[in-house]
Amino acid sequence: MRADAATLLEYGTDALKRGHPADLVVIPGSAAEISAIARLCHDMRVPLVVRGAGTGYSGGAVPTEGGIVLSVERLNRILEIDQGNLLAVVQPAVITGVLQAAVEAQGLFYPPDPQSLKESSIGGNVAECAGGPRAFKYGVTKRYVLGLEAVLPTGEIIRTGGRTVKNVVGYDLTQLLVGSEGTLAIITEITLRLVPKPPAVATLRACFADVRAAARAVGALVGRRVVPSTIELMDRDSLDTVAAYVGERLAPAGTGALLLIEVDGVPAAVEAEADAVAAACRDVGALEVLRARSEQEREALWRVRRETSYALRTIAPLKLNNDVVVPHGRVPELIDLVERLRAEYHLRIPSFGHAGDGNIHVNVMVDPADAEAMARATKAVGALMEGVVALQGSISGEHGIGFAKKAYIGLELSEDVIALMKRVKAAFDPHGILNPGKIFP
Ligand SMILES: Cc1cc2nc3c(=O)[nH]c(=O)nc-3n(C[C@H](O)[C@H](O)[C@H](O)COP(=O)(O)OP(=O)(O)OC[C@H]3O[C@@H](n4cnc5c(N)ncnc54)[C@H](O)[C@@H]3O)c2cc1C
């Protein structure tokens, strides 16, 4: 238990950089201890907020009105890697990248790859249903969660699902808890499905004159029935920002957008698919298509993408990171929408992301000390959300709603659906103590 000012502040913020300090931070070591804390909070009506690694972008792990922050950081063990049954059992604070390295050492693969994987926890990934570049081919976290142990806000310890890929007994509470953003239960153990590690990977970089041509290439790939494991897109504003940050252009002159594409599988299939990727990109006018021939070259191609988050920090103090998603065939229309927002609201909006699954991070950059610019940025975000729903997309593909986006959920969900979700919340948490002030306006 900690209550010093530095800790309360540290546990009162996440990657969103907004929130309210905790009144108390507790760091229990077992599901039984968590159950006792939950019961106490339930009885005394004290807000309780669960925290994983605190890398969330929607304020999910942050109190909105004080209360207790419960960090699961001590529950950080990989309990089992079952090679025969292709599964792993882990505690929630295991870091995603640590689990991936452990299973890959045994020839297995855990595909979900949020870009925060060196810091974020599996529990946080499950609670947010995290995705990443590999989602187009492999799907997001929910596809890999077979079973859970969780503590209800009323103190009961429950188990859902199990160790089988098939399970249709009763309601699927496992999938209900996936993506529930720490509002329904505290996850204390996770059984994850694994797949065999693909033996070969090819990495290609395709450069285009503009972002619309890059977006058209995604359609061309789908047309050739190739499903790359990764299609990352970067627009001109993102490339310019990285160039200014690292002091050199990391793409050939004339590049207005690029795609980083990976295909994986057995070697013969990878060769054929890499050729098909190159041909599809050239079909729609790629200026250059380059294939990495070594791990060193692969890293060099990825450098531009890896530098992006750091580079953005240099152009404005605040990044309104909108993880919007549209059907991938409508990415060109999303790009047009972003272009209109730039012109109308006079803002820098570098955009990049997972073009294969239509999940583009539209980053509205602003100085929060400039009230007039903040007002323009807020309007731009509202217009973006409306536009994305009109494109049959979703206002959040990865980061969840937290408190950052709750004002917008009515754009996507009907009143009846929101009312039903609130009844589900009340069934788990009758006094509304677990992560109050999140998801619902
Ligand atoms: C640089 C950067 C890159 C990112 N890239 C991606 C990306 O590519 N894809 C993506 O999806 N996200 C990305 N994110 C966002 C973030 O990393 C993910 O949402 C991640 O899943 C959060 O994990 P965490 O352990 O940090 O959770 P936290 O931030 O601690 O918590 C997130 C939410 O989960 C809840 N929670 C945490 N642990 C538990 C638990 N044990 N039981 C119940 N609820 C719990 C919290 O209450 C909160 O609502 C990125 C973030 C950063 C900073």
Side-chain angles (χ1 to χ4, degrees):
M1 188 157 72
R2 296 193 213 155
D4 60 286
T7 302
L8 299 182
L9 214 56
E10 185 191 337
Y11 286 76
T13 183
D14 63 4
L16 183 69
K17 307 267 180 259
R18 283 186 276 149
H20 189 294
D23 292 320
L24 188 69
V25 174
V26 293
I27 311 179
S30 67
E33 286 179 18
I34 292 172
S35 161
I37 294 163
R39 217 177 278 278
L40 202 63
C41 289
H42 173 78
D43 290 346
M44 300 185 71
R45 316 283 198 268
V46 174
L48 180 63
V49 180
V50 194
R51 184 179 180 90
T55 69
Y57 261 135
S58 53
V62 171
T64 52
E65 51 187 68
I68 296 178
V69 167
L70 185 157
S71 169
V72 294
E73 67 200 61
R74 285 170 62 203
L75 302 183
N76 61 359
R77 286 187 304 129
I78 297 175
L79 300 173
E80 185 185 352
I81 296 174
D82 180 346
Q83 294 205 38
N85 289 304
L86 293 174
L87 59 85
V89 183
V90 302
Q91 292 187 316
V94 170
I95 299 300
T96 316
V98 170
L99 174 71
Q100 286 179 334
V103 302
E104 284 179 36
Q106 302 192 23
L108 298 171
F109 194 44
Y110 175 68
D113 57 342
Q115 293 296 280
S116 51
L117 59 84
K118 287 192 179 147
E119 301 160 80
S120 69
S121 71
I122 292 287
N125 292 176
V126 171
E128 295 288 5
C129 191
R134 292 199 284 243
F136 184 43
K137 177 168 179 177
Y138 288 102
V140 296
T141 301
K142 65 181 163 196
R143 192 191 280 186
Y144 298 90
V145 183
L146 297 177
L148 296 170
E149 178 193 79
V151 179
L152 300 183
T154 38
E156 298 94 324
I157 302 175
I158 60 163
R159 281 194 170 269
T160 68
R163 294 168 74 97
T164 55
V165 172
K166 291 181 174 175
N167 180 337
V168 290
V169 180
Y171 296 134
D172 193 343
L173 296 180
T174 307
Q175 292 300 325
L176 179 60
L177 293 183
V178 176
S180 63
E181 300 193 29
T183 63
L184 297 182
I186 303 153
I187 297 162
T188 48
E189 190 185 289
I190 304 150
T191 303
L192 292 167
R193 179 184 188 185
L194 306 173
V195 295
K197 186 174 179 218
V201 179
T203 303
L204 297 97
R205 183 189 69 191
C207 297
F208 300 86
D210 60 51
V211 69
R212 292 200 104 245
R216 278 201 306 276
V218 178
L221 285 169
V222 174
R224 285 176 179 256
R225 302 290 179 259
V226 180
V227 181
S229 53
T230 298
I231 314 179
E232 287 291 286
L233 175 139
M234 292 183 66
D235 75 351
R236 186 187 300 275
D237 206 356
S238 309
L239 294 172
D240 288 348
T241 307
V242 173
Y245 175 67
V246 301
E248 59 175 316
R249 289 206 82 80
L250 296 178
T255 301
L258 61 76
L259 294 177
L260 288 161
I261 304 167
E262 292 200 329
V263 287
D264 66 5
V266 294
V270 166
E271 283 308 309
E273 291 197 336
D275 289 346
V277 166
C281 291
R282 291 199 183 99
D283 279 355
V284 294
L287 305 172
E288 182 207 77
V289 183
L290 200 64
R291 177 170 170 188
R293 292 292 170 185
S294 65
E295 193 50 38
Q296 209 179 3
E297 285 182 15
R298 184 184 184 203
E299 272 309 303
L301 293 189
W302 271 102
R303 184 174 167 218
V304 64
R305 177 67 179 86
R306 298 203 202 290
E307 298 284 4
T308 311
S309 288
Y310 305 103
L312 291 189
R313 290 179 196 160
T314 61
I315 60 172
L318 182 63
K319 174 174 80 172
L320 302 175
N321 180 341
N322 301 288
D323 60 318
V324 295
V325 57
V326 294
H328 61 76
R330 304 199 76 169
V331 169
E333 291 166 83
L334 174 60
I335 283 161
D336 287 347
L337 168 63
V338 173
E339 209 51 67
R340 284 200 300 278
L341 297 178
R342 279 193 186 108
E344 189 173 342
Y345 296 102
H346 309 289
L347 293 161
R348 294 274 307 266
I349 313 183
S351 303
F352 58 86
H354 322 310
D357 52 48
N359 180 202
I360 305 293
H361 294 264
V362 177
N363 301 288
V364 178
M365 307 303 298
V366 65
D367 179 356
D370 181 342
E372 187 274 329
M374 267 310 279
R376 271 186 284 125
T378 307
K379 279 189 189 154
V381 171
L384 173 70
M385 299 302 184
E386 281 175 20
V388 161
V389 173
L391 290 173
Q392 299 172 306
S394 172
I395 63 172
S396 178
E398 294 187 331
H399 298 160
I401 300 302
F403 67 79
K405 285 173 229 146
K406 61 182 187 172
Y408 305 111
I409 73 162
L411 292 173
E412 188 169 330
L413 304 178
S414 71
E415 276 178 26
D416 285 346
V417 166
I418 293 174
L420 176 61
M421 287 184 180
K422 285 183 173 171
R423 293 201 295 276
V424 171
K425 163 75 174 161
F428 276 78
D429 183 12
H431 295 325
I433 57 142
L434 194 61
N435 216 355
K438 307 295 168 65
I439 302 182
F440 304 110

